[in-house]
Amino acid sequence: MSARPAPRLARLLEALLDVGTALDLRGVLQHIVDGAAELTSADRADLVVADPDAGGLAEIRTPGPDRPVPETAPLLRMPVHVRDEEFGELRLAGRAGAAPFTVEDEQLLRVLAVQAGVSIGNALLYETARQRERWIEGAAAVTTALLTEEGAGDALTTVAERARLLADACAGVILHPTAEGGMAIVTASTPDDPDGMVGATIEPGSPVLEQLLGGEPVFVDDSATDPRMTTHVRHRFGPSMMLPLQAGGRLIGTLALPRRRGGRPYTDLERLLATQFASQAALALVLADARRGRELLAVYEDRDRIARDLHDLVVQRLFATGMMLESTRRRPGADDVRDILGRAVEELRSTVGEVRTAILTP
């Protein structure tokens, strides 16, 4: 005797449990469409996201063969709301024997959609917290690297590389102001071919440049087609962020984080976190530069002290040696070596003068 099929209420509870246990957004959405298809015996279930730019997802569907569903097939739609805003729409299509969806199907799907909205909201909060955590940890790592010997050698590359990874960008670029009033790329971190990137220049008068020099970030949807972009490498990139590296009212440079053409646009949260990272990185660069300046000054001061100590010791010994030679030259019977001793005394006097000049001259 075959087992009786599980009651639909039990299947609904199971679907609600699956939807509520996942934390990552993609996992939650996949559980939603799978549960919707299972509850209604639909051939296909899709969740079409209302704002794909917000989460980088356009559509989630049930796995299986991607077979076309005739226009005459039964259809059932159900909106999914997250905190009173429409997140997307569940779309169910096709049933065995072209049977229509029932009122019960719609009621079950509505319950699932309510739980889906709660779970999606939780997943979005979790993802937001994870993103914030990653950017904060990244900024702390950059600061630590720049203020220790680890990152002292190439501070700009450290900033560019870490920012590129955090932003999921195809390149991390640092630009510095030029003497002509423009900006030029001085550092480029990219897993792709960086050929031609370093040295690329934003010419004076560019609207983008005016914003950056004024301390304002610039966000670009498509670098290749945006008329504000003027560098000869812009055709390689799509969405981009250009963030001033500014500390204490002083503009150090610009951090640019472009994605590939056709890449996912940056979300508002990513823009905010990247801007905060740039501010922290700029401060770390200033502190690291000041630290290296203090270390260099300490080295100079130490060398100065050693030089003065050597001056006192060496000059005294040279002077004493010269006196001994002068005394020997004046002794009776020293005629045979008097000329040699005289030249030695003059050499010592000249050496004393040179030592004093070398040590005491700044």
Side-chain angles (χ1 to χ4, degrees), residues 280-316:
Q280 180 68 29
L283 179 59
L285 286 169
V286 170
L287 292 176
D289 187 61
R291 173 181 174 272
R292 288 192 292 272
R294 289 194 300 270
E295 291 177 347
L296 188 60
L297 180 60
V299 169
Y300 288 153
E301 290 176 346
D302 200 40
R303 288 179 178 175
D304 186 61
R305 178 186 58 78
I306 293 172
R308 291 183 182 278
D309 290 344
L310 285 175
H311 168 265
D312 294 340
L313 177 63
V314 173
V315 170
Q316 287 176 9

Side-chain angles (χ1 to χ4, degrees), residues 20-99:
T21 53
L23 284 177
D24 66 291
L25 180 59
R26 185 176 288 275
V28 169
L29 300 182
Q30 192 63 61
H31 280 305
I32 292 170
V33 295
D34 291 344
E38 173 68 19
L39 279 173
T40 61
S41 300
D43 287 341
R44 194 177 77 195
D46 300 338
L47 176 59
V48 180
V49 180
D51 183 10
D53 291 347
L57 301 169
E59 183 179 14
I60 299 292
R61 63 174 50 185
T62 51
D66 188 14
R67 60 181 182 275
V69 178
E71 294 183 1
T72 58
L75 296 176
L76 179 60
R77 298 169 179 261
M78 185 65 62
V80 176
H81 291 86
V82 177
R83 294 187 290 272
D84 298 327
E85 294 185 3
E86 184 173 342
F87 177 83
E89 183 180 60
L90 272 169
R91 299 175 183 176
L92 308 183
R95 300 187 79 179

Side-chain angles (χ1 to χ4, degrees), residues 8 76 95 100-107:
R8 300 191 76 182
L76 179 60
R95 300 187 79 179
F101 290 105
T102 65
V103 173
E104 185 182 7
D105 291 329
E106 185 175 353
Q107 291 173 343

Side-chain angles (χ1 to χ4, degrees), residues 175 183 185 200-203 228-235:
L175 300 95
M183 273 196 174
I185 297 177
T201 304
I202 301 177
E203 298 298 332
R228 297 175 299 170
M229 305 299 288
T230 59
T231 63
H232 68 269
V233 295
R234 69 184 188 278
H235 65 277

